[in-house]
């Protein structure tokens, strides 16, 4: 009989790439928020009565109601006995029947083909065509996915190759959505940072792209450029000229473009408009339109839907080598298929009710209400923060987040460092402990050395958002006094 | 302006590990089946009127009806307006309310915590305890996943490390379910084959494990051992003594055990019984029970549910280093969460109606009907194949597949090789073209050199299965004559 053995799998023996992964959106601050919620439930006294989770872009968790038509269709798909029920509008019933016809065994419970149900890919193509003013989209270039996350990781996975100085480098914005840094760490690719310009409302500057690229060329092989538009965590919406400049740059420098456009429906600021990379690329004509490789990502998690839990999404690829596209298809088939309920939900999004449908009026009204409230919350957030001394917030042109810059007194910075914490982590932890407000420190997204930020979603309901913003501003003032 | 440039991403520049991935269950034979279906729809004349997809374990695609209770609960969760409808039994309504209470914003549309909804993890733990005769299960050791596939790949990902002779090796059965070979190729780990013994009904033999391990130790570092029980594609159900011997071997040789138990409810043969690795491990006492690392996988895709499209599943880890377990949690959080509808469905599976519930009788009846029909089909399949000269089929003790061995005439083998095809691929392609029956060649799962097999699911409805088995046997006879 053997004595005590060491574990086979330990921190020392496990995959070192996985160990290097960091993921702030669900990091220590969120674990602490969970604990605080438990303590509150157990009756422990706190200076607040509830934890407000402004850390993650999860609209329905914050009380946003699902769009009725989407859920009606889905309920009918899940339980087709309801198809005879008079409680459902006729267009929802027709829609559910159409989706079920396209499913194996006419059931959501069958695997679909790995790239997604053909009908849904076709209607997604038509949706993209409408969005892009008639520029054609090919259903064969559309792959449904398990949320946008899955598709993003899949495309990154294809791109990773080489070792040492030929290792794939991928340019990502700083600040970034941390899926990118996490996936690159896991895949052992080189993260190449380009900085968005906070002074110009987080604009993307080609000169900065070039700087980042040149610096990276010494030690890796940069092969892809990621753009998040509208931006997370930064909330900017890119101007058309900027997108053109980025495309020209990518073409000249031979970079595969990855456009994360999951917030394409979330544009609020006057004068801001969403331009898809695909449309701009096509309108630029050859050689860009015919040669530049592009992958564009979308999701049912954001927009007016906020159906994060369903894990629906897709990627459209443009000018991808057909042989590589086949490899992508093969890779996706190993995991069998994206969740079919999420695919069905995506169908209602890419093919919403039209004016002649019975559900149209309600659908439109619900959709507009969600988007109008988000726009109002974006404005309010910017405004309240900018009234607070020591906080400066760029306009929230789109997406679902504010990423304000906070001044932290040198003594607070020093104190944090003594505790082994990033100064903005220290600030956010104190904020959480004293007010119950859960936001994510800027260090989780990346920021210029010596600057401090936090990311807060604009999703709390209006009646909670205003007091929350004020509490936060007051806390910052108190924190500043305390360490001055 | 630049001229024609080469693509950034080509077969030559893409991830070489992804290129090496093979995935037969959805390989060329399935693509051809899709084409044939299209041709049939377009009215092209064929020697058959429909393609029968016996290539994939997808019960509902083959006409199996979903279990009513599962879908009622899910419809209520999707569209809570229905909670007031008298059309649903009271226990389904209570259940849906319980699940929604546990969801963010009381909605399936919110992200859950990355390891899955706490309530569902807790009830999964109780389910495992009932299965294992009261041996405790800790909800903190249970991670919900996007189908079992996702959890399997996640655990493999943790295990991969090293380079050259220290690269992680993973022992997998041959024949295997090709997710394993595909994931290992993608992760650049070393696949170490151990052969199941066809002569002894695909039994697992520790001497063979030892042979494989010793041979592998020269060129990699074997660190994990995968077992599929009941077996896919081989249909064997492991005896308890065999599981004990495997555990002893893994403990002595310091291998992390991965037990793929997605077919735990699919046991048909008289005298066969499912024994979970967890239970056997715990009953063996220390040091096994206290030290041997184990991950056990389950899924809503199989069993009596067959809810593949929902992508629900979980892994239970036992004796895992807590620090590694934290790393696993972090890794899962990067993709945010498993699909929430799949989690909800899993809840109905781990916590089915009990005798006092109004839905109990119907639930039991539906469940038994599915399992009884599968048992009858398993028996029929074995029987018909074994009546055919040149085909030999081990008993289908469990799971959903037969993996019969076929004799192929030397001239057919030679002809296939001239075409650059594996001989069993050639056989299966011809079978598909002439009969519309779609099965997967044995070479996609691995088999002893010089032997030929195919995998066929036992899922077609009874009235189709018998003619299908006979057509297949007759085709084999004709094929044999043709090449003799
Ligand atoms: C910029 C960005 N991309 C991708 C995602 C992934 O979303 P999902 O996987 O839920 O579609 C998110 C989620 O917050 C995001 O903010
Ligand atoms: C042995 C085995 N493991 C795992 C899986 C994956 O199933 P899923 O990802 O649908 O849960 C399958 C599916 O056929 C299987 O046969």
């Amino acid at each position: 009989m053997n004595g005590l053995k060491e574990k086979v799998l330990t921190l020392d023996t496990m995959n070192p790439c996985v160990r290097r992964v960091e993921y702030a959106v669900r990091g220590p601050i969120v674990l602490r928020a969970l604990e605080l919620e438990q303590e509150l439930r157990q009756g422990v006294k706190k200076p607040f009565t509830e934890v407000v989770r402004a850390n993650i872009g999860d609209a329905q968790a914050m009380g946003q109601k699902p769009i009725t038509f989407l859920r009606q269709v889905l309920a009918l798909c899940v339980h087709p006995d309801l198809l005879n029920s008079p409680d459902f509008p006729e267009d929802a019933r027709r829609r559910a029947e159409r989706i079920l016809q396209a499913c194996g065994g006419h059931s959501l419970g069958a695997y679909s083909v790995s790239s997604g149900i053909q009908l849904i890919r076709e209607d997604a193509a038509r949706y993209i065509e409408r969005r892009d003013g008639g520029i054609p989209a090919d259903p064969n270039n559309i792959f449904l996915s398990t949320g946008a996350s899955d598709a993003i990781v899949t495309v990154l996975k294809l791109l990773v190759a080489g070792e040492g100085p030929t290792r794939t480098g991928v340019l990502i914005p700083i600040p970034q959505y941390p899926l990118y840094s996490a996936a690159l760490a896991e895949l052992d690719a080189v993260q190449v940072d380009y900085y968005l310009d906070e002074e110009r409302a987080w604009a993307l500057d080609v000169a900065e792209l070039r700087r980042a690229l040149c610096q990276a060329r010494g030690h890796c092989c940069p092969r892809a450029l990621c753009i998040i538009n509208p931006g997370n965590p930064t909330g900017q919406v890119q101007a058309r000229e900027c997108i053109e400049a980025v495309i020209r740059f990518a073409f000249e420098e031979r970079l595969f473009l990855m456009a994360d456009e999951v917030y394409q429906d979330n544009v609020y600021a006057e004068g801001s408009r969403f331009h898809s990379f695909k449309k701009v690329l096509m309108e630029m004509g050859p050689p860009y339109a015919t040669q530049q490789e592009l992958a564009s990502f979308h999701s049912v998690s954001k927009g007016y839907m906020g159906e994060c839990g369903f894990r629906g999404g897709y990627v459209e690829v443009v000018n991808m080598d057909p042989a590589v596209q086949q490899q992508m298809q093969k890779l996706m088939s190993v995991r069998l298929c994206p969740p079919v309920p999420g695919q069905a939900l995506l169908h209602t999004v890419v093919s919403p009710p039209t004016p002649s449908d019975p559900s149209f009026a309600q659908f439109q009204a619900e959709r507009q209400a969600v988007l109008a409230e988000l726009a109002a919350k974006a404005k309010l957030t910017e405004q309240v923060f900018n009234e607070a001394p020591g906080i400066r917030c760029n306009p929230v042109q789109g997406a679902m987040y504010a990423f304000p810059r906070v001044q932290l007194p040198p003594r607070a910075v020093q104190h944090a460092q003594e505790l082994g914490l990033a100064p903005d982590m220290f600030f956010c932890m104190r904020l959480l402990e004293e007010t119950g407000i859960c936001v994510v420190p800027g260090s989780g997204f990346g920021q210029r050395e010596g600057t401090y930020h936090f990311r807060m979603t604009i999703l709390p309901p209006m009646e909670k958002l205003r007091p929350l913003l004020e509490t936060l501003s007051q806390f910052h003032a108190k924190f500043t006094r305390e360490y001055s």
Side-chain angles (χ1 to χ4, degrees), chain A residues 284-459:
Chain A
M284 286 168 73
Y288 309 104
T290 48
Q291 293 186 45
Q292 175 61 45
E293 295 149 83
L294 168 71
S296 154
F297 305 93
H298 197 18
S299 167
V300 301
S301 299
K302 313 295 168 180
Y304 58 92
M305 308 76 86
E307 294 282 14
C308 310
F310 282 83
R311 314 306 296 121
Y314 71 77
V315 54
E316 183 191 18
V317 295
V318 178
N319 291 324
M320 186 183 251
D321 181 336
V324 174
Q325 206 160 316
Q326 259 183 24
Q327 295 283 326
M328 179 154 124
Q329 169 116 27
K330 176 189 73 179
L331 184 61
M332 288 180 152
S333 75
V334 174
R335 306 267 188 120
L336 301 169
C337 71
V340 178
Q343 296 187 41
L345 199 104
L346 179 65
H347 192 256
T348 62
V349 171
V350 297
S351 176
T354 55
S356 61
D357 290 330
S359 297
F360 181 74
Q362 187 182 356
F363 173 81
Q364 264 319 74
E366 291 178 356
R367 180 178 183 281
Q368 287 311 330
V370 170
L371 293 176
E373 181 163 355
L374 283 173
K377 293 196 275 198
K379 200 151 200 171
L380 179 71
T381 303
E382 176 197 346
Q383 198 182 320
V384 176
F385 278 143
N386 282 329
E387 283 164 7
I391 303 185
R392 233 208 55 203
C393 184
N394 269 321
V396 181
Q397 298 167 342
M400 299 178 167
Y401 315 91
F403 195 67
R405 180 161 170 185
V406 281
Q407 281 173 21
L408 300 183
R411 281 219 306 131
V413 172
Q414 198 188 330
H415 187 64
Q417 282 158 350
E418 284 160 18
L419 295 171
L421 290 175
D424 47 12
M425 172 66 92
F426 177 60
F427 174 78
C428 292
M429 271 291 182
R430 286 281 312 272
L431 175 71
L432 174 63
E433 297 287 346
E434 296 188 22
T435 68
I437 300 172
C438 180
V439 299
V440 189
S443 43
F445 306 90
Q447 54 198 353
R448 287 220 179 254
E449 182 77 34
T451 69
Y452 305 110
H453 302 78
F454 61 85
R455 187 187 80 168
M456 189 190 106
T457 72
I458 59 168
L459 295 173

Side-chain angles (χ1 to χ4, degrees), chain A residues 171-187:
Chain A
L171 281 86
I172 66 169
I174 297 295
Q176 53 124 8
Y177 174 61
L179 168 65
Y180 291 92
S181 51
L184 292 174
E186 186 189 321
L187 293 167

Side-chain angles (χ1 to χ4, degrees), chain A residues 212-241:
Chain A
L213 186 74
C214 290
Q215 236 167 285
R217 284 228 160 104
H219 58 97
C220 71
C221 175
R223 300 172 69 207
L225 166 56
C226 299
I227 276 106
I228 309 174
N229 178 47
N232 174 6
T234 38
Q236 84 286 14
V237 177
Q238 281 178 354
R240 196 195 152 96
E241 310 80 69

Side-chain angles (χ1 to χ4, degrees), chain A residues 2-76:
Chain A
N2 294 275
L4 188 72
K5 297 196 180 189
E6 235 197 89
K7 305 251 178 226
V8 175
L9 192 56
T10 64
L11 282 186
D12 290 334
T13 63
M14 71 174 281
N15 187 332
C17 299
V18 170
R19 259 191 86 171
R20 279 196 293 273
V21 167
E22 285 181 22
Y23 197 66
V25 179
R26 300 206 159 188
I29 202 118
V30 183
L31 296 180
R32 182 65 191 138
L34 269 168
E35 284 173 12
L36 285 172
E37 280 176 345
Q38 235 155 15
E39 292 179 24
L40 281 175
R41 269 197 301 275
Q42 291 158 358
V44 180
K45 265 264 168 299
K46 296 280 165 195
F48 47 88
T49 55
E50 83 177 314
V51 172
V52 183
R53 303 220 193 182
N55 61 296
I56 186 167
D58 189 351
Q60 295 191 19
M62 287 278 101
Q64 185 181 304
K65 291 275 153 294
I67 303 291
T68 306
F69 179 73
L70 273 54
R71 294 302 190 95
Q72 285 175 331
V73 170
L74 218 63
L76 292 164

